[in-house]
Amino acid sequence: MSVLSGKKILLGISGGIAAYKTASLVRLFIKAGAHVQVIMTPASKDFITPLTLSTLSKNPVYSSFFNRDEENENWNSHIELGLWADLMVVAPATANTLSKMANGICDNLLIAIYLSAKCPVYFAPAMDLDMYIHPSTIGSFKALEQYGNIMIPAESGELASGLSGEGRMAEPEHIVAFLEADLESKLPLKGKKILITAGPTYEAIDPVRFIGNHSSGKMGFDIAQCAANLGASVILVSGPSHCTIENSLVKVVRVVSAQEMYDACHQYFANVDVAIAAAAVADYKPKNVFSQKIKKAADDFTIELEKTKDILASLGEIKTNQFLIGFALETENEIENAKLKIQKKNLDLIVLNSLQDQGAGFGKSTNKITFIDKNFKVQPMELKSKEAVASDILNKVVAHYA
């Protein structure tokens, strides 16, 4: 999955011949999973049509401060568009547009949006060789980089003038690759390894029956996805679950029983920076597992149970520098029981769920949690989607390493 997936990208197009390449650039952004909004200068429409870019981006294309029709004039808010974006890319960035950006000459919608944008701004210069090396252009480059903008270097090759040299806009594939590499290098969990457990465990009674619980695994899978989006390398140890994840940074290890999950966690724990135990592991398992299906004969039937190994406590015993996060699902005396678990299992942070809270618990798309750290600082959170809860949990990890 591309780091651009889900990102909201403003693509500003200025009036140079390289504008024809932006059709391919929009396609590549969409293919990467991004949402694209195109802003054109009036001159750029001489090189590529708004209809083409609107069709490819699946959004209307803006080029003026207002739209006129027979009955209405609709204002295009540059502030709203500037605040919408996660990143802005100006490509092609002509010498004229670069000079306006550098000096705040706000005479078109693209520059107004640029001046209003709160997100990272990238620019891909495109012009003839002599223009590219002119002192005024070099001054624009320096000024924009001093503002914190990021230049996507021009390439050498045949230019529209027929000359050959530097000034050719980076190819669309190279622009996408540049953005991905730059964003990945700045992800807060880049280089961190995180072990996450998810789902239930099934403890066999006989070949067809088991002891289990209602955990879907969604919380753990959402945490894994969020961790990968922040640049972490993830090992996700999951009990039986219908949840899936497609991300090159996530290695899924499928297990069934508590013992299998215990073995997998101990296999990877020594080499990770963070462990998040979100699985609902069975506390007990049948002491004896029948090799054949139990026949329904007697009116009463007793299964003798024994404790499973406590995975989280065992990791707490051997942790060195790992940041260890556990989950607690309680029905009474929630805060007190969670604090005891922090001490007993040597945790750095616990995520408390209470079945008393409406919208929390197994099989739901939402969750309501309370964070308690090893110093017993209690931080209750609002009811949120599990994806948002996952983000809150990973923000604690980011803060730990900040």
Side-chain angles (χ1 to χ4, degrees), residues 304-350:
E304 187 177 1
L305 302 177
E306 62 181 359
K307 276 188 175 181
T308 58
K309 292 180 181 178
D310 191 322
I311 298 172
L312 189 54
S314 70
L315 298 180
E317 289 176 358
I318 63 172
K319 80 171 185 176
T320 51
N321 298 316
Q322 292 91 344
F323 187 59
L324 185 57
I325 302 175
F327 273 65
L329 179 62
E330 303 289 345
T331 59
E332 57 183 358
N333 300 321
E334 292 95 338
I335 300 294
E336 292 77 8
N337 287 334
K339 288 180 177 179
L340 287 173
K341 187 173 285 188
I342 290 174
Q343 291 178 311
K344 185 179 179 180
K345 303 191 179 186
N346 193 22
L347 306 181
D348 296 291
L349 181 71
I350 200 162

Side-chain angles (χ1 to χ4, degrees), residues 2-66:
S2 171
V3 71
L4 295 176
S5 179
K7 290 285 189 294
K8 292 176 285 189
I9 301 176
L10 274 175
L11 175 59
I13 303 174
S14 60
I17 184 60
Y20 82 90
K21 296 181 181 181
T22 57
S24 296
L25 184 57
V26 171
R27 284 292 297 270
L28 289 172
F29 283 154
I30 296 296
K31 186 176 180 180
H35 308 285
V36 182
Q37 179 65 68
V38 177
I39 312 297
M40 303 181 71
T41 65
S44 69
K45 293 189 286 186
D46 293 332
F47 299 96
I48 187 168
T49 68
L51 177 60
T52 297
L53 297 167
S54 176
T55 302
L56 294 173
S57 68
K58 302 177 177 61
N59 279 315
V61 170
Y62 299 108
S63 63
S64 61
F65 287 99
F66 58 89

Side-chain angles (χ1 to χ4, degrees), residues 8 93 168 218 223 241 271 279 285 295 300 350 377:
K8 292 176 285 189
R168 181 187 179 105
K218 178 172 171 53
I223 295 171
S241 172
N271 296 316
K285 64 179 181 179
K295 297 296 184 181
D300 298 310
I350 200 162
K377 179 182 177 182

